[in-house]
Structures are given as structure tokens and as C-alpha cells.
Amino acid sequence: VPAKTLSQQRHRNLAKLDRKHRAWQLRRQCREMVLEEKRNLGRKGGPPHLVVVVPLHAGVAIPRALSLFQSSAASTVCQTKMGPPGFGLLCHQSRLRWRFVVADTGNLHAVLDLAKVADTLLFVLDPHEGWDAAGDYCLSCIFAQGLPSYGLAVQGLSDQPLKKQVDCRKKLNKAIEKRFSEDRLFPLDTEQESALLLQHLASQKQRHLAFRDRRAHLLATAATFMPSTDSALVGTLKVSGYVRGRSLNVNSLVHIVGHGDFQMSQVDASPEPFALNPRTAKIHPRSMGDQVEEMEEDVKVLSKADASKQESLQSEVTPDPMDGEQTWPTEEELKEAEESLAQRKKMTKRVPKGTSAYQAAWILDNNDELESGSEDDDEEEDKEENMVEEPISQEEEEEEDEEATEEEEGPDMTLLDDEKMEDNEAILEKYRQERQEEMFPDEVDTPRDVAARIRFQKYRGLKSFRTSPWDPKENLPRDYARIFQFQDFSRTRKHVFRQLEKEESSGAEVGCYVTLHICSVPVSVMESFRQQVPLLLFTLLPYEQKMSVLNLLVRRQPGDSEPVRSKEEVIVHCGFRRFRASPLYSQHSSADKHKLEQFLRADTAMVATIYGPITFPPASVLLFRQKSNGAHSLLATGSLLGVDPDRLVIKRVVLSGHPFKILSKMAVVRYMFFNREDVLWFKPVELRTKWGRRGHIKEPLGTHGHMKCQFDGQLKSQDTVLMTLYKRVFPRWTYDPHVPEPPRESLSSLLPVQEEEEMD
């Protein structure tokens, strides 16, 4: 019996009372799961409740708000000396453990990283304006990445007169409705109000982010670096923190956000810094620095890595240049060679006296000329072999020129007036190209100095872009020899998630305070942690360290209007990863072929194709552009569509011609080509016009590119004849997992356009 029919029969056979009882059981089960999650978070069985405080206005005083949480008499404060600023809070009456971390709004990467692991985001608002332009920009990035549980607090409301307090509340509630629907706003000016806010944060339902719930992760509270014997720049990093999400297995790989993938050698159980023991806590409140010193005293080894079960760090395939080479001819090829040799022996030619056999092979008879074409065609074919790279190099030179201008714009360079003028001219040229692309999509001029059959030798004509076949394994670039591919990505994803649910918890359980020994870590990771940059670790699922082709479904950010070309380098936030890449933008459709877009359009969703490490969706995506001063501005937001190297991204080129003479259904077209050989070469390709006529080339006229064409109706003199050619394109391999931190500045400097609009 099919499974669907069986389930319908079971449901039909149940009585009405039984169906009610079953629905009640399901509701009770879901309710118990939510209550169990609330009981574990922040209590003895789970990790401390991680609250990230995000100020949304420049006038908010964060130290004053934190002092209210610390001033409670029934709580103990544990200060932290490493990592981002914050403290631990132990509430002995409610038996809750809290960890407060302050997000530095001057560093957008730090805000987004903390939002990836936070249990609750506490947004602190200004009583007059709520949030400024920088706060609105920060909210846009957090919403696009994924919003966990959150709370809203306003500071300084009680300092206002009683009449203005009502007006401020109305204004704030109206502003909150745009971003947060039906959420309560808590004042934060007294100890009693801070206690009510903590009670609300502890009792609210937790919102889940899929990319972190399926992976074990932790926020580092302490770290030490042990240099290796070979080099002081690389060594073992010991990171301490509470395990969150899922149980942590020592044999899996760990990803340090912003630094790359690494292997673990050992997992230790260390004494907790936030211990719910009122006796020891009241006698001497311990700091994180003291905890690091005591760590070596009471250390229990939980697990050590097994070399036979440990995941490999191999991310790319090492291509063999001799792979696919033929070392010995097959029997069929030997037979073909013998037959062709016998045919050559039978042929007799008249050659001048004294001509060798090699020279005679180059002399053609009249019959050969008729069969294979004129001598000019043979000469052009020889030129094609010698000039194969010439037209391609011209395209690459143009792209390299664009890259050179982009690479010159770096954060370390001081731009002079002349250089600023050049930057403005480059941006103006981008605007012109984007406008030209909108008016005449994909239309290009036929070159005069290079033959069209050489310039467009990699292009082909298609009878129908939708239905004509195209082999996805045809003419692949060398970079495709370095990547991995799934036979069926969706089936593999389901299998990995199913195994994740079935496997028994092994390793460090959720809520344990552990110390991870991470091998071959550069010293720059420890230096950034000492500079109060948050250090985040995520374990990887199977295959997630391998490189492949990612397809990202993105939509342009409304506030950004500067043109963005395909293959322009951007900074990608994909799930828990952050890296550099050069995406190709193409149309989002259900067909098997997708047209390349030269620019990232603002009116529709598009697919960005890049080389990157495999990530199983769902995962959020953010694209950032790096400006000349090093700052990062939000470019587009979206989600991960899938991992598919066989997705066909087709570039379209349109050649245009002008009707010179029109005779009923016949017309003489010029300016599409400029020599006779090009007309003969592109004769099989179908023609169309801007006004809907279709036709084909009959024959060339003269030697200057004029051609006689036949259409399905009479042309108009103002119509334009078009020929469409297609070529498959691939992204550029510019993957770089090391993204430097942007300069520390206010987020308001990234939003000049939005500020002007608000002032208007």
C-alpha cells in the first residue's frame, strides 16, 4: 500500500475523540519542548543566557544601562578581561546566569558576528528619535542575516517632563511598528525597570536560526596561544567557551569566522567562570583573568582526535595536467588512420617539377577548392589558428583594466585631488555603461580591425534560447578541475540532516564549558581577540570544507545606487562564513539556461554565481562593497539557493545591422559585417528585427559586408536587423577567506544618501 494511502486510511479510521486526543498530545509535546528550552537556557543545565547590547543611537549611554544590571544586591558580577567588552551576571534568587556583551557599532563585522551567536539582542533606543541613520543601517543588516530573540529598551525617558514622556512614547511606538510589530518597549532608567526587563528576556520564546542550530558553536571567553616549534607565527590556539547549538565532536572541523577552517586535537573540560555557587561567588567574585590562571589546575580531558575518523582539511582537488591525455591510440583510430592514408595514396595531383611530397600536400586542385572553399577561406582558417587568443585577450584586457582600477582603490592609499577626479570619472563611466545597457541590452559593435568570425569564435547561434540543448559538461575551464560536485545536492543535503538527527550525542554536550585545542592557527587570530574583536567558532557539517560553485539568490539594497558590474569583487557573508569573491549575476528563472546580466539590477531578484566552500541551505547572504577608504557598504541581501556547478550562465551578444534596400520580403542589410567571409561564416544563424520580423541570410553582396536577407514580411526603413549569439561564461576564482576588519568609524559615514533624504 502506498505510504500516502496508508496515512489517509489511518486518519480515516480514527474516531473523532481519538483525533482530538491526538491533537491535544501534539500541542502538549510542543509546549513541553518550548518550556524545556526556556528552563535550560541560562540555568545549570545549559549555557549562560547570552545578551548582546546594541545601541541604535549615538546619544545612548551604554555604561549607564549596564550599571543598572550590575547594581542588583542579589546578583554577582564576573568581569571579563578578553574579547569584546561585557560581564557575567549570576542571579542567585532566580538561579539564572547571564552574559552581557556590548556590540561595537563602529565595526559592522563585529555586530553581525555577535548577532550570529546571541540568544537575545537588546536594542537600546533614544527617547526622542528612537534610532538614527546608523542604527537603521545596522538593523537592515541584522534583519537580512537573521534576527534572533530580541528586546527593546529606551534610555532616558524618565529624565523628560511628564507631558513630553507621553509624546515620546507615542512617537517611539509609531516608529517601532515599522520594524517590530506588536513588541513591548521597556524603559531602562531604574533598577526595578532593569529587573523587569531581565524577567521578560528570560521568559520570552526563543527564535531559532537554522544555520546555527544544526552546528555546534561557541563565543570565546578566554584564549591562549602556544607557538609551534617551527615558527612563532603559527601554533596551537586554546579557546574556552560554552558549547551551544549541538554537541561538539572533536573529529569534526571547526571554522573560525573571518580566518578559515582548522582541525581540533583535543577537547578539555575546564572550571566554569559563571558558577552558580553562592558561597564561593560571594566570598570572592572571580574574573576571567583569574579563571585562565586556574584553568591549567583543574583540567579534565574529554576527548582526543582520532586520526582515522578526523575530517580532512582538503578543500580543492589537485588537478593532474596529464589526466585525460591519450597515451596509446585505440584500434578504431588506427583503422581510421589506415583508411585516410589509403585514400591519400589513391589521389593523384599535378604539381610542378621538383616539388616534394610535403609541398605537394599544400597545393590544392580545382576540385578541392570547390569542395573545401576558396584559398582565402583556408588562409582565414590558418589565421584563426594563429589568432585564437587575440580577440579573447582584448576582452580580458578590458576586464583586467577594470580590475586594475578597482585594485588601485585600497584603504591604505591617500587619494589626491587628481586621483579623486579619476575615481569620479570611473564611476561616471560606469553609470554611462549601465544606461547604455538599459537602452540597448547586449548590443555590441562589430569590430573593424578584427574579423567577426574570430572575435566571436566562442559564440554560437541558437534556434531557441529556451528549448535548444546545451551540454553542461562542454568546454569547462581549468578551475572546474579543482572543485567538488554532488550527483544530487538536494538528496545529499537531506541525508546529512537526517544523519544529524539520528546520531547520538558524542563529545562535549550543550552547556559544557570546554577548552578547544585548535591546530595550525596563525597568530593574527589571537592578536585580533586581544583587540576586543569577538572570536566565534562553528563546527562544520560533512563536505562543508570543500570548494564548489555556489548560487546565491540576492536582491539589490534600495539605498545603494552605484552600478555594480559582473565579476566585480565583493565581500560575501554566507551563513556563518565571510569571504571575498567575484560573482556573476544572471536571471532567476526555471529554465535550464540563464542569461547573464552585465550589471546587478535593482528592480528584480537575481542569482549571483561564485566559487566558494560548500554550505547547506538555509543560510542568509549579504553582499558588501569595499569603498576606497576601506569601509564596507551593504550592496544586496538574500539567501543561498544551492550548490550546482552545472547551472548554465549564458552571455548574449547582439550584432545589429541597417536595412539599405527593401524589396517586399527581401532586403539588403549593411553595417552588421564588414567583409564577405564573415557573412558566409554567420549565414546559418537566424536573424530577427526589433519590430518582430524573422529571417535568414541568403547570400553576400560584394566584398564590404553587404548581404541579401529574406524575412517573413516586409521590413520598415526605420527597423533594425539583429543577430543573437550566445556563449557560456564562468565566475572568476578570487576566493579569499581572510577578510580584514574595516576601519573603526561611525556607521553614519556609510549612508550619505539616506541622511540627505531624511534632512529633506
Side-chain angles (χ1 to χ4, degrees):
V1 180
K4 187 175 181 180
T5 306
L6 186 62
S7 63
Q8 291 175 354
Q9 289 177 356
R10 286 181 179 177
H11 184 72
R12 192 183 300 113
N13 294 335
L14 288 176
K16 183 178 180 180
L17 187 61
D18 295 335
R19 292 198 299 269
K20 283 186 177 182
H21 183 64
R22 185 182 179 186
W24 176 78
Q25 286 180 332
L26 292 175
R27 287 196 302 270
R28 187 182 63 176
Q29 185 178 1
C30 294
R31 192 183 304 113
E32 289 177 354
M33 290 174 60
V34 173
L35 290 175
E36 184 181 1
E37 184 181 8
K38 288 181 181 180
R39 294 189 188 103
N40 291 336
L41 184 61
R43 287 179 168 81
K44 188 176 180 180
H49 195 137
L50 179 59
V51 179
V52 177
V53 183
V54 183
L56 296 181
H57 196 276
V60 174
I62 293 298
R64 178 185 170 188
L66 296 181
S67 63
L68 294 175
F69 294 112
Q70 298 177 3
S71 59
S72 177
S75 61
T76 305
V77 179
C78 302
Q79 297 293 338
T80 57
K81 294 184 178 180
M82 302 182 70
F87 61 91
L89 188 67
L90 306 178
C91 299
H92 305 297
Q93 291 182 354
S94 58
R95 309 291 295 175
L96 286 175
R97 297 184 295 175
W98 302 84
R99 187 189 176 191
F100 288 86
V101 178
V102 181
D104 182 11
T105 54
N107 188 349
L108 184 62
H109 286 346
V111 177
L112 294 178
D113 288 348
L114 288 173
K116 292 174 183 175
V117 296
D119 296 321
T120 302
L121 292 179
L122 179 58
F123 298 112
V124 185
L125 284 68
D126 183 75
H128 299 287
E129 301 179 3
W131 53 76
D132 53 8
D136 187 71
Y137 178 73
C138 185
L139 283 177
S140 299
C141 297
I142 293 176
F143 271 72
Q145 179 181 262
L147 184 67
S149 303
Y150 61 90
L152 301 175
V154 56
Q155 189 183 39
L157 189 62
S158 61
D159 299 338
Q160 306 297 323
L162 292 177
K163 293 182 179 180
K164 288 188 177 181
Q165 287 186 14
V166 179
D167 296 337
C168 289
R169 277 187 175 276
K170 289 182 179 179
K171 188 177 179 181
L172 286 176
N173 290 330
K174 194 172 184 180
I176 287 173
E177 289 178 357
K178 299 179 181 179
R179 286 282 190 180
F180 310 94
S181 59
E182 299 179 0
D183 284 304
R184 183 180 174 186
L185 184 64
F186 289 85
L188 188 59
D189 294 316
T190 62
E191 295 182 10
Q192 185 178 4
E193 292 173 349
S194 65
L196 290 175
L197 179 59
L198 284 181
Q199 184 179 0
H200 168 72
L201 298 182
S203 60
Q204 69 177 352
K205 183 180 179 181
Q206 293 296 309
R207 303 177 66 176
H208 297 275
L209 299 180
F211 68 87
R212 75 178 186 186
D213 288 343
R214 291 191 174 97
R215 300 167 179 87
H217 58 278
L218 60 87
L219 175 65
T221 57
T224 56
F225 183 78
M226 302 291 293
S228 62
T229 56
D230 300 335
S231 175
L233 300 178
V234 180
T236 301
L237 183 67
K238 297 181 181 180
V239 182
S240 301
Y242 286 93
V243 179
R244 302 173 185 271
R246 300 187 66 87
S247 58
L248 190 144
N249 189 357
V250 68
N251 293 320
S252 60
L253 298 180
V254 64
H255 175 78
I256 302 179
V257 178
H259 299 281
D261 304 334
F262 303 94
Q263 287 181 333
M264 292 181 288
S265 60
Q266 184 177 328
V267 177
D268 300 336
S270 303
E272 295 188 30
F274 308 133
L276 271 174
N277 192 344
R279 296 179 181 177
T280 58
K282 288 182 179 178
I283 293 173
H284 56 282
R286 295 182 297 177
S287 65
M288 289 302 301
D290 301 333
Q291 185 65 27
V292 174
E293 296 176 358
E294 297 176 2
M295 191 181 300
E296 298 180 357
E297 299 178 2
D298 303 327
V299 172
K300 178 183 177 182
V301 179
L302 288 180
S303 56
K304 289 188 177 182
D306 187 359
S308 60
K309 299 179 180 179
Q310 198 170 23
E311 292 284 345
S312 173
L313 279 173
Q314 182 186 5
S315 61
E316 302 176 14
V317 180
T318 304
D320 185 5
M322 298 301 294
D323 189 16
E325 290 290 329
Q326 185 175 358
T327 57
W328 189 258
T330 61
E331 296 181 358
E332 296 178 356
E333 292 174 343
L334 290 174
K335 290 180 181 179
E336 291 179 359
E338 292 176 358
E339 292 176 358
S340 61
L341 185 61
Q343 291 178 359
R344 289 180 183 176
K345 290 181 179 179
K346 292 179 182 178
M347 295 173 59
T348 58
K349 295 182 180 179
R350 287 188 178 184
V351 296
K353 189 176 181 181
T355 304
S356 63
Y358 177 77
Q359 293 173 339
W362 291 91
I363 299 176
L364 299 176
D365 295 337
N366 293 331
N367 296 332
D368 295 336
E369 292 177 4
L370 293 175
E371 293 176 1
S372 60
S374 62
E375 295 180 0
D376 295 336
D377 293 337
D378 295 334
E379 292 177 1
E380 293 296 336
E381 289 177 1
D382 297 337
K383 289 181 181 178
E384 286 178 23
E385 295 178 359
N386 298 329
M387 298 173 63
V388 165
E389 301 297 331
E390 182 175 349
I392 304 170
S393 63
Q394 291 177 0
E395 284 185 349
E396 293 177 353
E397 284 176 4
E398 295 174 1
E399 295 174 352
E400 289 172 2
D401 292 341
E402 294 173 2
E403 287 182 358
T405 56
E406 293 169 7
E407 291 175 358
E408 289 173 1
E409 301 174 359
D412 301 332
M413 299 181 64
T414 58
L415 297 177
L416 303 177
D417 294 338
D418 296 339
E419 294 176 346
K420 289 182 180 178
M421 288 295 295
E422 292 178 0
D423 293 341
N424 293 335
E425 290 178 359
I427 294 175
L428 180 60
E429 183 62 26
K430 272 188 180 181
Y431 277 109
R432 288 174 180 169
Q433 293 176 1
E434 186 180 29
R435 179 62 176 166
Q436 190 78 8
E437 182 69 20
E438 290 178 0
M439 296 174 62
F440 307 100
D442 301 324
E443 290 192 29
V444 297
D445 295 330
T446 307
R448 301 290 299 273
D449 54 344
V450 181
R453 63 187 182 279
I454 298 176
R455 169 64 179 83
F456 303 108
Q457 61 182 338
K458 287 194 172 182
Y459 292 81
R460 69 182 72 176
L462 295 178
K463 183 70 175 177
S464 172
F465 182 78
R466 185 177 62 86
T467 60
S468 296
W470 197 305
D471 187 6
K473 304 297 184 184
E474 176 185 358
N475 294 333
L476 298 178
R478 287 185 177 272
D479 289 336
Y480 265 52
R482 303 164 58 184
I483 65 173
F484 292 84
Q485 181 180 4
F486 294 102
Q487 187 174 3
D488 189 344
F489 176 72
S490 60
R491 186 175 62 183
T492 305
R493 172 179 169 272
K494 292 179 181 178
H495 175 71
V496 169
F497 289 168
R498 197 180 297 115
Q499 292 296 117
L500 199 65
E501 295 175 358
K502 288 182 180 179
E503 67 179 8
E504 299 179 358
S505 59
S506 59
E509 296 290 338
V510 177
C512 296
Y513 187 79
V514 297
T515 300
L516 309 182
H517 297 246
I518 307 174
C519 308
S520 303
V521 180
V523 70
S524 58
V525 180
M526 188 64 192
E527 292 175 354
S528 64
F529 185 61
R530 287 171 180 165
Q531 296 173 1
Q532 296 187 339
V533 177
L535 182 61
L536 278 69
L537 285 79
F538 281 83
T539 58
L540 300 181
L541 299 179
Y543 317 115
E544 283 195 331
Q545 77 276 18
K546 311 291 186 183
M547 292 291 293
S548 188
V549 178
L550 307 184
N551 299 311
L552 317 175
L553 181 62
V554 297
R555 185 179 289 272
R556 187 73 180 269
Q557 187 70 7
D560 191 274
S561 60
E562 186 177 339
V564 182
R565 291 187 64 94
S566 286
K567 296 186 179 180
E568 185 176 333
E569 190 176 78
V570 297
I571 298 169
V572 183
H573 288 240
C574 182
F576 55 90
R577 296 182 185 269
R578 182 170 67 241
F579 54 88
R580 291 179 180 271
S582 299
L584 282 177
Y585 303 111
S586 58
Q587 293 180 352
H588 179 47
S589 61
S590 59
D592 60 340
K593 293 181 286 295
H594 312 273
K595 192 179 84 68
L596 173 75
E597 293 289 346
Q598 299 291 343
F599 293 88
L600 178 60
R601 296 171 55 184
D603 56 345
T604 183
M606 303 183 69
V607 177
T609 303
I610 59 173
Y611 289 110
I614 293 171
T615 305
F616 292 106
S620 58
V621 171
L622 287 82
L623 301 185
F624 288 87
R625 178 200 288 114
Q626 185 169 357
K627 294 189 173 183
S628 58
N629 59 355
H632 297 167
S633 61
L634 184 60
L635 186 66
T637 60
S639 59
L640 177 61
L641 187 63
V643 180
D644 185 14
D646 288 342
R647 188 177 189 273
L648 297 173
V649 180
I650 308 298
K651 181 180 179 180
R652 184 180 70 174
V653 166
V654 180
L655 306 181
S656 58
H658 176 67
F660 179 51
K661 292 182 180 180
I662 300 174
L663 299 171
S664 62
K665 294 186 179 182
M666 300 289 292
V668 178
V669 180
R670 60 179 177 177
Y671 301 148
M672 183 177 289
F673 303 108
F674 298 101
N675 57 69
R676 184 184 183 90
E677 290 76 16
D678 286 344
V679 177
L680 293 173
W681 181 268
F682 290 99
K683 186 177 178 180
V685 184
E686 187 181 17
L687 301 176
R688 63 181 179 88
T689 69
K690 287 190 175 181
W691 286 20
R693 297 297 180 188
R694 291 184 175 272
H696 59 276
I697 301 173
K698 292 288 290 184
E699 58 182 353
L701 296 178
T703 60
H704 295 285
H706 291 204
M707 54 187 182
K708 185 187 293 185
C709 306
Q710 185 174 4
F711 296 91
D712 56 356
Q714 187 171 4
L715 296 186
K716 301 293 184 181
S717 59
Q718 62 269 33
D719 202 352
T720 304
V721 181
L722 305 175
M723 177 181 288
T724 308
L725 303 175
Y726 301 95
K727 177 184 75 169
R728 185 181 180 184
V729 291
F730 302 90
R732 186 179 295 146
W733 192 297
T734 58
Y735 171 75
D736 184 11
H738 307 287
V739 179
E741 297 291 336
R744 303 176 69 86
E745 59 179 350
S746 176
L747 292 176
S748 59
S749 62
L750 303 175
L751 301 166
V753 178
Q754 293 184 6
E755 288 182 355
E756 292 176 3
E757 291 177 355
E758 290 180 1
M759 290 175 64
D760 295 340

